[in-house]
Amino acid sequence: MKKELSLKESFNNAWNRFDLKEKIFVIFAFLVSLGFTLYGMIPTLFSGDLNILHVLSIIMSIFGFIGTWTLAIQWQHTFKANGVQNVAGILVAGIQGVYGEMFKSCYYLSTEFIGHYNWKKRRNDDGELVVDKKFSLKDVLIAVFFWTFGLGFISYWMGGQKIILDAITNGLSFTAQQRQVKGHLDGYYIWLVVDLLSFILYLSIGNPIVAFSYLGMVAQGFVGIIIWKKSQGQESLTQES
């Protein structure tokens, strides 16, 4: 049976891959992502005007922060933290009428189980995640095309708002999630675009809590790319098989 790394072991495994410059960058990225996440939440927390949307948005932001960082260090149980974010995301998007986002979070929630299972299969005997580092452009473009038009139609049919931005963001999101739960590095590059578009989307519908948490995820994404690039590659998994 393949070893499963604890959170501490996963962190140490990732941290020890960095040289000094990379460690400084990771610390800087962590502070930036934490800063944006708090910047989105603090004004609402101190306004004394909390409602159910604010509470759900704060839960989404906190667990998004935890989930994104534990995803970067390849902790096996990152999918549990992301699952909590997904449940909150379904409710937030439904309340605000961005139905593509709502279906995206439903899809995310289902793939958390798939990701947990797939990552177990992709671990070597030392417990390290074996990453597919190829950029499969054709697969990515096909997935983006179909998800974008499909979700855009559903959102339009349900009378959602920001339909075009919602559809583009979620077409990319579905693709990124699909790639990453299967251990593909290229999912991270798509996430960088998704996070920026999600920041614009949530800011445009008046939800700065979630908007700035996505902006913080951009910094987390760059760290994830560094770690996943330094991981063992697909060739290792093929040889073991």
Side-chain angles (χ1 to χ4, degrees):
M1 185 176 180
K2 293 181 179 179
K3 181 183 178 184
E4 186 175 298
L5 300 180
S6 67
L7 179 58
K8 182 179 179 181
E9 288 172 326
S10 296
F11 172 80
N12 289 337
N13 196 36
W15 184 254
N16 292 332
R17 294 173 183 165
F18 301 134
D19 58 31
L20 179 59
K21 288 183 180 179
E22 289 170 334
K23 287 179 178 179
I24 293 172
F25 174 77
V26 171
I27 293 170
F28 174 75
F30 178 83
L31 293 175
V32 168
S33 64
L34 180 62
F36 277 125
T37 302
L38 293 176
Y39 181 78
M41 291 191 298
I42 288 175
T44 302
L45 287 171
F46 285 94
S47 68
D49 187 31
L50 281 178
N51 57 35
I52 187 64
L53 177 62
H54 293 149
V55 172
L56 289 170
S57 297
I58 289 169
I59 293 172
M60 186 178 174
S61 181
I62 291 172
F63 280 90
F65 179 86
I66 295 170
T68 308
W69 276 106
T70 52
L71 180 74
I73 64 173
Q74 302 170 349
W75 185 44
Q76 181 65 33
H77 297 285
T78 182
F79 298 104
K80 295 178 181 177
N82 283 311
V84 176
Q85 181 203 18
N86 300 153
V87 172
I90 292 168
L91 298 172
V92 168
I95 291 170
Q96 299 210 270
V98 279
Y99 298 117
E101 280 283 309
M102 184 178 73
F103 285 113
K104 178 196 77 175
S105 294
C106 290
Y107 171 74
Y108 282 178
L109 185 60
S110 66
T111 57
E112 304 303 352
F113 300 98
I114 297 170
H116 187 82
Y117 175 72
N118 280 340
W119 276 28
K120 273 190 173 182
K121 292 196 301 181
R122 295 191 68 87
R123 292 195 181 276
N124 61 24
D125 292 333
D126 295 323
E128 296 181 357
L129 188 69
V130 180
V131 174
D132 184 348
K133 301 180 184 180
K134 297 179 294 183
F135 191 91
S136 303
L137 183 61
K138 181 181 176 182
D139 293 340
V140 168
L141 291 178
I142 290 172
V144 170
F145 178 83
F146 282 105
W147 283 124
T148 298
F149 279 92
L151 288 170
F153 174 78
I154 292 172
S155 186
Y156 175 78
W157 178 69
M158 294 183 68
Q161 59 172 319
K162 306 293 181 182
I163 292 171
I164 295 176
L165 180 58
D166 187 27
I168 294 171
T169 302
N170 290 299
L172 290 166
S173 298
F174 269 60
T175 306
Q177 181 77 352
Q178 184 183 50
R179 302 297 292 171
Q180 202 145 48
V181 297
K182 293 181 179 179
H184 297 276
L185 173 64
D186 54 27
Y188 255 116
Y189 294 105
I190 307 170
W191 277 128
L192 294 179
V193 181
V194 170
D195 293 336
L196 288 171
L197 290 176
S198 297
F199 166 70
I200 296 169
L201 175 63
Y202 276 97
L203 205 59
S204 70
I205 62 173
N207 192 332
I209 298 173
V210 175
F212 281 99
S213 72
Y214 273 112
L215 198 57
M217 288 180 191
V218 175
Q220 296 168 322
F222 283 110
V223 175
I225 288 172
I226 294 172
I227 295 172
W228 281 48
K229 274 188 172 181
K230 290 176 176 287
S231 301
Q232 290 197 47
Q234 177 71 37
E235 298 78 12
S236 301
L237 188 67
T238 304
Q239 289 171 5
E240 289 174 9
S241 300

